[in-house]
Amino acid sequence: MTVESYTIPEAAEAIGKSLNTFRRWIDDQMLPEPYLRDTQSNYRVYSRGEMDIISDALRRHAEEFSYFRADHSTVIHNINQRIQAHRSMHV
C-alpha cells in the first residue's frame, strides 16, 4: 500500500513555515512527531491525513492568533487528539 507522505522539511514547506519553526514545534511538543517511516529512505514521515489535521488546526488557529505558541494548549491538545484518533484508525 502506498501512502502519500511528507518528511519534516516537506511538511514545513506544505504549511508555509520554515523548517526551523516546524522542528521547534515538534521539539516543544506542540506538534506530535511523525510516526511512520518511509520504507526506502527510513525518514520519519507524516501521512497526508496527519498533514490535513495539522494544516486545518493551524488554519483555524490563525483566524484568532497570528502566531502559534507553546502556551496555546487547547490547540495543541486538539491536534494531538485528532492525530492519535487518525493513527488508531489508519496505522
Side-chain angles (χ1 to χ4, degrees):
M1 172 187 258
T2 301
V3 174
E4 185 177 357
S5 61
Y6 297 79
T7 62
I8 292 173
E10 291 169 340
E13 183 179 346
I15 64 167
K17 297 297 178 185
S18 74
L19 177 57
N20 288 337
T21 295
F22 201 85
R23 284 189 194 276
R24 183 174 35 85
W25 288 349
I26 294 170
D27 291 344
D28 292 347
Q29 298 179 342
M30 295 167 61
L31 295 177
E33 289 191 33
Y35 179 74
L36 302 172
R37 287 210 178 261
D38 182 284
T39 56
Q40 293 180 342
S41 68
N42 204 33
Y43 290 146
R44 295 176 305 155
V45 295
Y46 290 102
S47 70
R48 176 69 207 186
E50 291 170 327
M51 284 305 301
D52 289 344
I53 290 167
I54 292 168
S55 62
D56 177 63
L58 293 177
R59 181 188 49 77
R60 289 175 188 231
H61 182 69
E63 292 172 1
E64 188 174 344
F65 297 95
S66 61
Y67 50 86
F68 181 46
R69 297 189 334 207
D71 63 347
H72 293 162
S73 58
T74 303
V75 175
I76 294 166
H77 181 72
N78 176 278
I79 290 170
N80 280 293
Q81 277 191 318
R82 290 175 63 193
I83 286 182
Q84 287 304 324
H86 175 82
R87 288 175 179 173
S88 69
M89 291 177 13
H90 300 285
V91 177

